[in-house]
Amino acid sequence: MTYNPDNVFAKILNGSMPCNKVYEDDYALAFHDINPQAPVHVLVIPKGPYESMDDFSKNAPVDLICGFFSAVGQVARELGITEDGYRMLANHGADANQEVPHFHIHLFAGRNLGMLLPR
Ligand code: AMP
């Protein structure tokens, strides 16, 4: 697949769409999910044109991979969710029902999140 530069997170990154920002550095941008599934539901996206975890892990430069995952941890600390706990999740592709084709990590927190997968 080819990265679609018109996807909603690309537009947030280039400033043509707004977001409710919680964190930004050279490698990552984090903002509140528009349709939260937990009391805290934040998305962290890398600053680069990667459509999913597969693309990112295969094609992103090492400094971006390191900077991005470091930023995810920093976002969690700044949100104050490390003590009670949080879940991080990334959907890749059709079986995971990935909706937005720009790699992103969901951070969920603020209540007991139950089992990982519904049965
Ligand atoms: P995924 O299924 O992993 O691709 O998740 C995409 C997520 O992006 C969903 O949780 C949506 O609610 C969220 N989302 C879609 N558009 C926006 C937006 N403009 N601002 C914030 N979150 C969004």
Side-chain angles (χ1 to χ4, degrees):
M1 270 171 78
T2 308
Y3 181 79
N4 174 6
D6 292 326
N7 78 76
V8 62
F9 293 170
K11 290 180 177 172
I12 287 173
L13 262 187
N14 72 24
S16 62
M17 267 192 68
C19 72
N20 190 357
K21 182 164 81 174
V22 298
Y23 178 87
E24 182 170 17
D25 65 17
D26 288 346
Y27 304 105
L29 175 69
F31 49 89
H32 290 282
D33 195 289
I34 205 167
N35 183 24
Q37 304 298 306
V40 176
H41 185 176
V42 164
L43 302 170
V44 191
I45 68 175
K47 289 189 170 179
Y50 304 98
E51 67 179 27
S52 73
M53 177 59 186
D54 185 61
D55 186 16
F56 186 68
S57 59
K58 198 162 48 182
N59 297 317
V62 168
D63 66 331
L64 179 57
I65 294 173
C66 289
F68 173 72
F69 281 100
S70 176
V72 174
Q74 181 65 21
V75 170
R77 287 187 290 277
E78 291 193 11
L79 288 168
I81 58 177
T82 56
E83 188 168 336
D84 287 345
Y86 62 88
R87 178 169 293 155
M88 51 182 279
L89 178 149
N91 293 314
H92 163 75
D95 274 1
N97 292 295
Q98 181 179 359
E99 288 174 19
V100 179
H102 182 110
F103 175 48
H104 51 283
I105 283 186
H106 298 254
L107 286 173
F108 302 102
R111 64 169 166 80
N112 187 295
L113 297 163
M115 298 288 290
L116 179 58
L117 294 172
R119 294 178 190 276

